[in-house]
Amino acid sequence: TIAWSILKNEFQDEDAVGDAFEKLIPYLDKCQDADSTAARLLLTRLVKTSAIDIYRKNQREKGQVPVEEA
């Protein structure tokens, strides 16, 4: 999946997909058909952005030194 290709972590992959579905909720009334190209594109974009957000958070956390080590 898209999220796996970005995160390479099964659990974070699931989190990204879950976040994407939560972000999809406000748009459900605009999606007449769940199988439409527009609905698929929207869900794909939401999964991608959610995965990128998690990836960026991971990168920020890698650069931080725990207080115990400082």
Side-chain angles (χ1 to χ4, degrees):
T1 67
I2 294 168
W4 171 256
S5 67
I6 295 169
L7 297 167
K8 308 286 193 260
N9 181 299
E10 179 182 354
F11 300 108
Q12 290 182 341
D13 175 18
E14 292 172 0
D15 288 343
V17 173
D19 290 347
F21 274 99
E22 286 180 18
K23 292 176 184 175
L24 181 65
I25 291 171
Y27 299 101
L28 288 177
D29 59 336
K30 296 176 181 147
C31 296
Q32 300 297 326
D33 182 16
D35 290 329
S36 70
T37 303
R40 289 176 187 224
L41 288 173
L42 177 60
L43 185 56
T44 301
R45 181 172 291 157
L46 291 172
V47 168
K48 182 179 176 182
T49 57
S50 293
I52 290 171
D53 289 345
I54 292 171
Y55 177 83
R56 288 178 178 156
K57 180 181 176 190
N58 291 341
Q59 294 304 308
R60 282 193 306 268
E61 289 176 356
K62 279 184 183 179
Q64 293 179 352
V65 177
V67 175
E68 297 84 31
E69 294 179 19

